[in-house]
Amino acid sequence: TLDNLARGAGLGGVDALSRCGNTSATEAQRRPARYSRTYMDDAALLFSGYRFAIVFENRLSFRYVTEKIVNAFLGGAVPIYWGSPFVFRLFSPASFIYVNAFPDFEAAA
């Protein structure tokens, strides 16, 4: 898993909300938590322990902005966001890091 790789590289652990980076659970095991009534609160609570949160959309599509960036804001973390440029119509550009603006992921780091 992503957590194991990060720990093996001496970077500490990785917390993941979804299947991204967390292959230890099956889809059937993850589904109840993903569709629970408290999922949004759980996401904001998880992000509340961090200064930054990586929030990448599943696809790059016009006007496709999901709850991911909102959850980071609710948790008090600065979103590191990859997704639609439509996000600038919803949130101040000064409030998050827009990964798409960099030539590659290394430059964003």
Side-chain angles (χ1 to χ4, degrees):
T1 66
L2 186 58
D3 183 57
N4 291 340
L5 291 171
R7 289 180 190 280
L11 300 174
V14 173
D15 289 324
L17 281 172
S18 66
R19 68 178 180 254
C20 179
N22 183 8
T23 57
S24 61
T26 67
E27 179 64 27
Q29 292 169 320
R30 287 189 305 268
R31 185 173 300 276
R34 177 67 173 100
Y35 295 102
S36 74
R37 299 183 108 187
T38 63
Y39 177 77
M40 299 296 265
D41 294 329
D42 295 343
L45 182 62
L46 176 70
F47 290 141
S48 71
Y50 300 93
R51 292 184 183 175
F52 298 92
I54 296 173
V55 289
F56 285 17
E57 298 295 0
N58 296 324
R59 67 177 187 259
L60 186 58
S61 185
F62 184 66
R63 292 191 180 181
Y64 183 76
V65 178
T66 66
E67 80 288 349
K68 294 174 181 74
I69 191 169
V70 174
N71 289 338
F73 282 129
L74 289 174
V78 175
I80 300 172
Y81 180 80
W82 181 91
S84 171
F86 190 76
V87 73
F88 293 117
R89 297 187 75 185
L90 304 171
F91 303 103
S92 167
S95 66
F96 62 97
I97 298 167
Y98 188 59
V99 175
N100 305 57
F102 296 89
D104 55 42
F105 290 124
E106 262 189 33

